[in-house]
């Protein structure tokens, strides 16, 4: 019994160590691809939701591996009724959504995030993957990341904002016609789940073996 106990103990400890290592390896991030960098809302028309921050114009958001994305409605300053869609489904509308409303998606593989904006309609006008360079009168979105201190203006990170400009009238290109926050977290792969279950089994066995035994009569 002693040798069996040692075997299970080693299995449990090995599983826990493996889960820890795999968790760090499988941590995924989002990258802005393409586009140009600059500061949004530097002209007379200011951004009324996020202010003047540094980021990307015309970039696409790409997941470097499996991850979950949570989107949060942050606000708008727009005359038109704009929309935000995930996987083709309407999630936020400037006509009815309120600050803090959330939506999410899970990506099992690396690839583009599956969101789009609709300018004055509930059908895609600008899709992640076909974001134009932007400019007055052209619907497009702007991306900025939060740094380690929680300030916008970083060029990479695990959270940030996607700020839409609907290109409507008056054409101001201030990117506050619908602003969405995003935050990503890693999704454990199937092998990670298997190792976690093995680790829990090992922990359970150790707890059972260490339970005080009743005294012999």
């Amino acid at each position: 019994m002693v040798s069996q106990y040692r075997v299970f103990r080693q299995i449990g400890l090995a599983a826990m160590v493996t889960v820890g290592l795999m968790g760090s390896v499988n941590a995924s991030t989002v990258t802005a691809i393409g586009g140009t960098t600059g500061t949004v809302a530097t002209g007379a028309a200011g951004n009324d939701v996020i202010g003047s921050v540094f980021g990307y114009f015309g970039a696409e958001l790409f997941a470097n591996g499996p991850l979950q994305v949570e989107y949060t409605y942050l606000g708008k300053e727009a005359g038109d009724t704009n929309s935000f869609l995930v996987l083709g489904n309407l999630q936020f509308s400037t006509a009815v959504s309120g600050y803090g409303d959330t939506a999410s998606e899970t990506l099992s593989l690396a690839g583009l995030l599956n969101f789009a904006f609709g300018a004055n309609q509930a059908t895609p006008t600008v899709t992640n993957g076909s974001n134009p360079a932007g400019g007055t009168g052209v619907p497009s979105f702007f991306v900025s990341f939060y740094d380690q201190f929680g300030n916008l203006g970083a060029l990479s990170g695990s959270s940030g904002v996607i700020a839409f400009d609907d290109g409507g009238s008056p054409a101001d290109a201030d990117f506050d016609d619908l602003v969405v926050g995003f935050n990503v977290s890693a999704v454990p792969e199937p092998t990670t789940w298997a190792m976690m279950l093995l680790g829990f089994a090992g922990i359970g066995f150790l707890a059972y073996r260490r339970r005080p035994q009743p005294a012999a009569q």
Side-chain angles (χ1 to χ4, degrees), residues 49-147:
V49 179
I50 58 174
S52 181
V53 298
F54 192 75
Y56 295 93
F57 296 94
E60 321 295 343
L61 285 179
F62 185 88
N64 296 322
L67 53 76
Q68 181 171 347
V69 189
E70 182 176 83
Y71 301 101
T72 305
Y73 182 83
L74 298 182
K76 58 93 178 184
E77 194 285 310
D80 292 336
T81 300
N82 300 314
S83 57
F84 179 77
L85 305 93
V86 177
L87 295 169
N89 299 312
L90 178 64
Q91 301 296 332
F92 306 139
S93 168
T94 56
V96 297
S97 296
Y99 178 84
D101 288 353
T102 61
S104 64
E105 69 164 310
T106 300
L107 288 86
S108 58
L109 298 171
L112 290 169
L113 274 59
N114 300 296
F115 68 83
F117 289 93
N120 202 28
Q121 55 188 330
T123 55
T125 299
V126 178
T127 302
N128 186 42
S130 61
N131 185 26
T136 303
V138 180
S140 62
F141 61 83
F142 171 87
V143 176
S144 183
F145 292 87
Y146 287 103
D147 62 19

Side-chain angles (χ1 to χ4, degrees), residues 12 18 57 59 153 160 194 202 217:
T18 304
F57 296 94
Q217 298 297 323

Side-chain angles (χ1 to χ4, degrees), residues 114-212:
N114 300 296
F115 68 83
F117 289 93
N120 202 28
Q121 55 188 330
T123 55
T125 299
V126 178
T127 302
N128 186 42
S130 61
N131 185 26
T136 303
V138 180
S140 62
F141 61 83
F142 171 87
V143 176
S144 183
F145 292 87
Y146 287 103
D147 62 19
Q148 60 181 326
F149 304 108
N151 300 312
L152 283 172
L155 296 178
S156 63
S158 60
S159 62
V161 297
I162 313 165
F164 178 60
D165 189 87
D166 59 21
S169 179
D172 46 23
D174 55 2
F175 294 88
D176 60 4
D177 296 324
L178 200 170
V179 181
V180 175
F182 67 90
N183 184 70
V184 303
S185 56
V187 175
E189 297 178 0
T191 52
T192 303
W193 285 115
M195 292 306 299
M196 288 177 66
L197 291 175
L198 183 59
F200 290 142
I203 294 171
F205 179 79
L206 292 177
Y208 173 77
R209 293 295 299 173
R210 291 177 178 176
R211 186 174 61 185

